[in-house]
Amino acid sequence: MRKLTFAMNMSLDGYIAAPGDDLGWSVPSDELFQWWSDRVAATGLALYGRRLWETMSSHWPTADQQPDATPAAIEYAGRWRDMPKVVFSTTTGTVDGNARLVTGDAVTEITRLKAGDGDPMDIGGATLAAAAMRAGLIDEYAIVTHPVLVGGGTPFFTALDNWVNLTLMETRTFPDGVVLTRYETKP
């Protein structure tokens, strides 16, 4: 069975994007960017909701070809392109690169993917992750908390019908007061 992790940047007040989908508050330090890059390299399959896919696919496929691309951005872009991806959307017609599109029930497909063999999976995108959260499919939460209050926007967590008990697996502090906390879901 494959492990599924929900890993995202989050403001201290619980949002993954500020109003207007503003992500300006979550610019990573070099150390945090390397952590994200290493995470992409270790991910066997990434599951994306439509909006996060549109954000990532509009930049990373050619980010390493930009004249101002740093060595870290070049490394990340290559890793991101190489990582297999599944995009869940009922409104997107096609995806490209190393991705396939799923237009049917996300929970059914995620359950099927989890039951298979393979390297760990990451899930991203608030709506998609919320569906997986409510279905009890997430095994780990990797929360990268930035010391900013954005006052609203897209929440990291969704409303749940039942409690989800977690075990703290790791804490790590990055520059600028950013803190990683990783929690495993208790059976």
Side-chain angles (χ1 to χ4, degrees):
M1 179 174 247
R2 296 174 96 166
K3 179 179 178 180
L4 181 62
T5 300
F6 180 29
M8 295 285 292
N9 290 303
M10 181 179 82
S11 65
L12 187 59
D13 54 349
Y15 297 95
I16 61 175
D21 290 330
D22 184 352
L23 301 173
W25 54 270
S26 64
V27 175
S29 65
D30 291 344
E31 185 180 339
L32 178 57
F33 189 73
Q34 187 62 56
W35 181 85
W36 281 113
S37 184
D38 292 344
R39 180 158 194 84
V40 166
T43 298
L45 182 64
L47 312 179
Y48 283 101
R50 177 191 55 82
R51 285 190 304 176
L52 182 58
W53 168 253
E54 288 173 353
T55 298
M56 298 295 282
S57 67
S58 70
H59 179 73
W60 289 111
T62 59
D64 56 345
Q65 299 165 20
Q66 302 305 312
D68 60 345
T70 64
I74 292 167
E75 177 184 68
Y76 185 92
R79 288 175 169 181
W80 187 85
R81 275 194 309 270
D82 291 345
M83 179 180 58
K85 297 169 270 305
V86 177
V87 179
F88 293 83
S89 176
T90 57
T91 58
T92 299
T94 61
V95 294
D96 54 7
N98 197 9
R100 73 178 177 88
L101 179 65
V102 172
T103 58
D105 182 64
V107 169
T108 300
E109 180 64 7
I110 295 168
T111 301
R112 186 188 73 75
L113 291 168
K114 275 193 65 155
D117 292 329
D119 291 326
M121 299 185 302
D122 269 9
I123 189 167
T127 304
L128 181 62
M133 230 183 276
R134 283 189 299 274
L137 296 173
I138 297 178
D139 302 300
E140 179 184 327
Y141 294 86
I143 306 165
V144 179
T145 306
H146 292 254
V148 60
L149 304 173
V150 299
T154 306
F156 183 97
F157 293 103
T158 187
L160 298 171
D161 295 329
N162 300 299
W163 291 7
V164 176
N165 293 308
L166 306 169
T167 300
L168 180 64
M169 297 169 48
E170 177 186 6
T171 60
R172 179 173 170 185
T173 303
F174 290 93
D176 305 319
V178 174
V179 177
L180 163 70
T181 49
R182 287 181 47 232
Y183 296 92
E184 185 174 66
T185 305
K186 287 184 180 179

